[in-house]
Amino acid sequence: MEDSRRVVISGPAIAVRGNDIDTDRIIPARFLKCVVFDGLGAHAFADDRAQLRERGHLHPFDDPRFAEARILLVNRNFGCGSSREHAPQAIMRWGRGIRAIVGESFAEIFAGNCLALGIPCPTARPEDLAALMAACERDPSLEFRLDLEAMTLAAGGLTAPLSMAPGPRSQLLAGTWDSTAELLAARDAIAATAARLPYLGNWR
Amino acid sequence: MAQTLYEKVFDRHTVRRLPSGQYQLFMGLHLIHEVTSPQAFEMLRDRGLHVLYPERTVATVDHIVPTHSQARPLADPLAEEMLVALERNCRDAGIRFFGVGAAEQGIVHVIGPEQGLTQPGMTICCGDSHTSTHGAFGAIAFGIGTSQVRDVLATQCLAMDKLRVRRIEVTGRLRPGVYAKDVILDIIGRLGVNGGVGYAYEYAGDTIERLSMEERMTICNMSIEGGARCGYVNPDETTYAYLRGRPYAPPAEAWERAVADWNAIRSDADAPYDDVVRIDAASIEPTVTWGITPGQSTAVGAALPDPASFPPEERPLVEQAYEYMGFRPGQRLRGTRIDVAFIGSCTNGRLSDIEEVVRHVQGRGVKVAPHVKALVVPGSRQVQREMAARGWDTVLREAGFEVREAGCSMCLAMNPDKLEGRQLCASSSNRNFKGRQGSPTGRTLLMSPVMVAAAAIAGEVTDARDVFALAGKDA
Ligand code: SF4
């Protein structure tokens, strides 16, 4: 079985610039008509990519130089809007598969969805991100190293400190981010909680 | 120690502290729909797990249902497949399902309250970010992703961090023509689309207290648009009057006990807050968005802002918004020709929203401008029935609006109701993101339902106070 611990993630990076990139942009709603997540990767950022293509530009997700990327760099409030898990599901299925996202900040539901999929979303200072984005754009093959134990992201000569809520971080380090089994282990405590909620028995 | 409602409800539902430091939180009510649940049921099957508390989950279908004909099989085979999957999953697990054709069917955030399923003091979750709507009843209600839907199905619990609480106090009288929608657009405009990250919003103050339940729902609904995963109003007599007698509300013999319990979970008068924001209701204008986030808004009569007036890190997004929308700084939106008008959604598709529109349209001989396609889509079958019973569907049709069947409709692009090309839509929904209404280049202006109706009639963005001669414009 695959090791579920997330300690060091390394590989080339890709930058998608912009604040407040919502999940409708990450995966437009028409691609949500599905009962499985397979195949979503090809549609990540579909409309943004098409619009740039029309104007003769290339979205990083269409740029073959970034096809090997494993780490996504973003700006502020990434993943805001709809709760659709299809968004991180598409990102992790694009190309070789994105394994971590580092940004200035993340929308909460998005970060929670990523955690449930074992994708770390640590944050970095804006100025560090700007430098790291520029570095990967200069050299798309540059190797990045995300270390969740040391809480750093390093590439070339740069090393940026990262932050992350302690709970999610410890779950990723321990490999316990898939929460179902852990939650289910407390069956008796669940029943005890249910028993003290007045509305559960319709107030009888 | 004095506590907020958020803390009281959180404590009551805490099963235990997890080794990660997060809390295992019991979910009192789990709502599901066709878009975000099929993969969760698949994950359960893969792991050989079953639904632990099937009676605490309620399902409906809303996003994909067409609003012109809901005959089965649905014309779109993908939509039909999603519906069939939900039907099967609910049947297999013993989950109550308000399906196509059921009297209770509708947008998940409209029917929960309508059926009395949503109650004060509950924890409520749904694979849908606008679950914050249910906070209007004094519940802690928030959206989750599909893997979390799996967790709730399998364990009735979630692993959660505790949020901070920001009290947003709105005081004073709203001016005529200013609605709950304007209040929440104003709040988001002030605090920003990420201002609420890490917070639960408690909406309070005499302005909020005077609002009806449906108006409170409009406000709580868009908490997520301000970055707050949940928003709530303390329950009071308005809440109890709304709930009493609804199908799943506490039965008559238990009513007093329920009310006593609900009163006890209200925030204590001296509860400490992590932050307090005060807003003067009289300062709120009819508000319209002009950009590509719900925070990019302005008073309907105002000139659009100069990008240079924003902090440098905001400017790229502002410039992107101008480029996408085709507007210019300094321009006034008033007088901008629209192509489509949409009244509906979980934000503003309830009976009182439609009542307010009908009140202004009826008996005035007004008509939707010939070049505008105007849709009124009830948020639920019940709203649809009540509209018909009052003859409001006829009033609206005679004024040139198309009145459809219940569903999410043009709020997002998962059913046949979509914008085409660069169409500009005056919309009572909640998101003006790029491409949100189905065309990758389609454009959305968010506003109150009455402002949408005024725009439909004028054929352009306008101040509803002029169109409907609402008194007190400059009062
Ligand atoms: S009406 Fe819009 S926001 Fe509300 S649940 Fe439906 S799609 Fe989501």
Side-chain angles (χ1 to χ4, degrees), chain B residues 63 107 109 128 130 345-346 408 411-412 430 436:
Chain B
H63 288 64
I107 305 173
H109 312 307
D128 196 286
H130 292 103
S345 87
C346 59
C408 292
C411 177
L412 95 173
N430 44 50
R436 170 73 180 184

Side-chain angles (χ1 to χ4, degrees), chain A residues 15-16 18 72-76 78 101-106 129 133:
Chain A
V16 173
L72 173 62
L73 306 176
V74 299
N75 293 111
R76 192 194 72 192
F78 186 77
I101 312 178
V102 182
E104 287 172 42
S105 66
F106 294 92
L129 265 169
M133 283 180 165

Side-chain angles (χ1 to χ4, degrees), chain A residues 19 22 24 33 51 55 76 81-83 85 108 113 167 171 178-180 182-183 196 199-200 203, chain B residues 12-14 16 20 22 24 28 47 56 76 145-147 150-151 198 257 313-314 431 433 436 440:
Chain A
N19 290 341
D22 58 75
D24 275 81
K33 278 196 203 158
Q51 268 154 37
R55 282 189 253 138
R76 192 194 72 192
S82 158
S83 64
E85 188 174 300
E108 263 161 44
N113 286 343
Q171 283 168 278
D178 184 332
S179 34
T180 311
E182 184 168 53
L183 293 172
R196 67 167 192 260
Y199 60 82
L200 272 197
W203 302 93
Chain B
R12 181 182 270 196
H13 290 82
T14 297
R16 62 172 175 148
S20 66
Q22 290 189 302
Q24 177 165 353
R47 297 176 188 202
R56 299 314 302 170
D76 175 351
T146 297
S147 296
R150 170 200 68 205
D151 283 355
R257 221 168 330 129
E313 69 276 13
E314 304 269 332
R431 285 187 174 141
F433 298 154
R436 170 73 180 184

